[in-house]
C-alpha cells in the first residue's frame, strides 16, 4: 500500500492564480482531512469528509474548496491564491467508524504564493 | 470549541535524559488524546494515544499521562536518543468532532 499520496510536493503560485492539491489514499478509509501547517502554529483543519459526497468545514476553510466524489480522492482547490495561503498542506485519512482512529498523513505539499 | 495549549515550544535534552511535553485542553467533553511525531520533511505519525478511561499508558520508552480533573496530559520520553529529535504534537477530541492540535514542541536530543 502506498498509503496517502499528495501531489505536487512543491508549488509556487502568483497572487490570484488557482490550483488544485491532489490527495489519494489506497487504504479504503472513509474519513479524509486537509490541514495547513504554518511555522510555530501547529496543524489547522481546513476541510474534512466522512465519506464520498460528504464534506464539512474545519477551522480555517475560507479561500478553499473541496470535493469528494470517490472514496480514494479528496482534492483541495485554491481559488484566487493569496500570500496568506503560503503554507505546508497535509492530507490525512482515517478508517471509518470513529474519529478516535489513527490519522495517516501524506508527505505534504509546500505552497508559496508570491 | 476546543483549545489545546502545548508547552514548551522548544526543548533540548542530552542523550539519555528524559523529556516531558505538556498539554492542556479546554473542552471537558474531550476524551481522546493522541500524540503525533513529525520528522523533518514528513507528515505527522501517531506514536501513542490515551482515552479518558485510563490515567497512564506506556509503550517502551514513551508514556502518556492524563489528568481529567485538571484537563492536562503529558508525554514522557525516557532514555532519549538522537532519533527522538522531531516535532511533537498533542491533540484532543471528543470523538464526535475532529482533532484539535497543539502548536507543537521541537525536541532536540544532543549527543
Amino acid at each position: 500500500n502506498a498509503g496517502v499520496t499528495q501531489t505536487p510536493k512543491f508549488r509556487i503560485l502568483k497572487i490570484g492564480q488557482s490550483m488544485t492539491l491532489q490527495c489519494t489514499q489506497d487504504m479504503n478509509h472513509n474519513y479524509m482531512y486537509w490541514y495547513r501547517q504554518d511555522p510555530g502554529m501547529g496543524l489547522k483543519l481546513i476541510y474534512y469528509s466522512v465519506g464520498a459526497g460528504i464534506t464539512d468545514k474545519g477551522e480555517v476553510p475560507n479561500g478553499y474548496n473541496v470535493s469528494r466524489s470517490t472514496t480514494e480522492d479528496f482534492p483541495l482547490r485554491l481559488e484566487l491564491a493569496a500570500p496568506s495561503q503560503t503554507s505546508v498542506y497535509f492530507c490525512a485519512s482515517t478508517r471509518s467508524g470513529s474519529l478516535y482512529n489513527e490519522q495517516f498523513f501524506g508527505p505534504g505539499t509546500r505552497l508559496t504564493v508570491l | 470549541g476546543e483549545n489545546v495549549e502545548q508547552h514548551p515550544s522548544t526543548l533540548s535534552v542530552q542523550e539519555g535524559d528524559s523529556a516531558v511535553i505538556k498539554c492542556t485542553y479546554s473542552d471537558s467533553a474531550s476524551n481522546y488524546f493522541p500524540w503525533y511525531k513529525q520528522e523533518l520533511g514528513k507528515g505527522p505519525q501517531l506514536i501513542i494515544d490515551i482515552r479518558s478511561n485510563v490515567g497512564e499508558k506506556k509503550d517502551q520508552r514513551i508514556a502518556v499521562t492524563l489528568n481529567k480533573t485538571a484537563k492536562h496530559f503529558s508525554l514522557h520520553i525516557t532514555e532519549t536518543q538522537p532519533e527522538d529529535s522531531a516535532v511533537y504534537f498533542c491533540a484532543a477530541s471528543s470523538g464526535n468532532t475532529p482533532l484539535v492540535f497543539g502548536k507543537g514542541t521541537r525536541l532536540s536530543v544532543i549527543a
Side-chain angles (χ1 to χ4, degrees):
Chain A
N1 284 354
V4 180
T5 58
Q6 293 182 238
T7 57
K9 285 186 168 53
F10 305 94
R11 184 74 185 267
I12 298 175
L13 281 182
K14 294 182 179 178
I15 294 171
Q17 287 185 321
S18 300
M19 77 165 292
T20 299
L21 282 68
Q22 301 291 345
C23 175
T24 300
Q25 54 89 11
D26 63 358
M27 297 174 283
N28 200 31
H29 287 174
N30 275 356
Y31 288 48
M32 296 187 74
Y33 312 82
W34 274 106
Y35 295 91
R36 59 176 289 170
Q37 183 178 29
D38 301 320
M41 296 301 293
L43 294 156
K44 298 288 188 182
L45 183 65
I46 305 171
Y47 271 97
Y48 69 104
S49 168
V50 299
I54 306 169
T55 61
D56 275 301
K57 294 179 180 179
E59 185 180 355
V60 291
N62 291 346
Y64 307 94
N65 280 301
V66 294
S67 60
R68 186 90 184 275
S69 57
T70 67
T71 299
E72 295 77 20
D73 301 306
F74 191 38
L76 178 71
R77 179 80 177 164
L78 279 72
E79 304 281 1
L80 298 175
S84 60
Q85 293 178 305
T86 294
S87 191
V88 181
Y89 292 84
F90 288 99
C91 179
S93 72
T94 304
R95 62 181 170 88
S96 61
S98 171
L99 288 165
Y100 292 132
N101 295 325
E102 176 181 359
Q103 291 193 18
F104 293 84
F105 284 80
T109 294
R110 184 176 295 275
L111 176 67
T112 302
V113 182
L114 300 173
Chain B
E2 177 64 275
N3 183 50
V4 177
E5 298 284 340
Q6 183 171 347
H7 300 279
S9 56
T10 60
L11 179 61
S12 291
V13 299
Q14 293 290 330
E15 182 178 358
D17 287 350
S18 295
V20 180
I21 303 170
K22 299 182 179 181
C23 289
T24 61
Y25 61 98
S26 61
D27 189 351
S28 58
S30 289
N31 54 12
Y32 175 59
F33 308 94
W35 286 88
Y36 283 78
K37 175 183 181 182
Q38 185 179 28
E39 296 178 345
L40 193 63
K42 297 184 179 180
Q45 185 172 13
L46 180 72
I47 55 172
I48 194 167
D49 58 12
I50 191 168
R51 302 193 185 184
S52 61
N53 56 345
V54 297
E56 183 176 2
K57 184 177 178 180
K58 286 184 179 180
D59 183 2
Q60 298 183 338
R61 295 186 298 108
I62 60 173
V64 57
T65 59
L66 171 65
N67 183 327
K68 285 219 69 172
T69 302
K71 292 186 196 162
H72 68 71
F73 57 111
S74 300
L75 177 71
H76 304 252
I77 306 173
T78 59
E79 301 174 18
T80 53
Q81 300 168 5
E83 53 264 37
D84 294 329
S85 295
V87 179
Y88 292 81
F89 293 98
C90 63
S93 168
S94 68
N96 295 319
T97 56
L99 289 173
V100 175
F101 286 85
K103 293 183 178 180
T105 296
R106 183 175 299 278
L107 173 64
S108 299
V109 180
I110 303 164

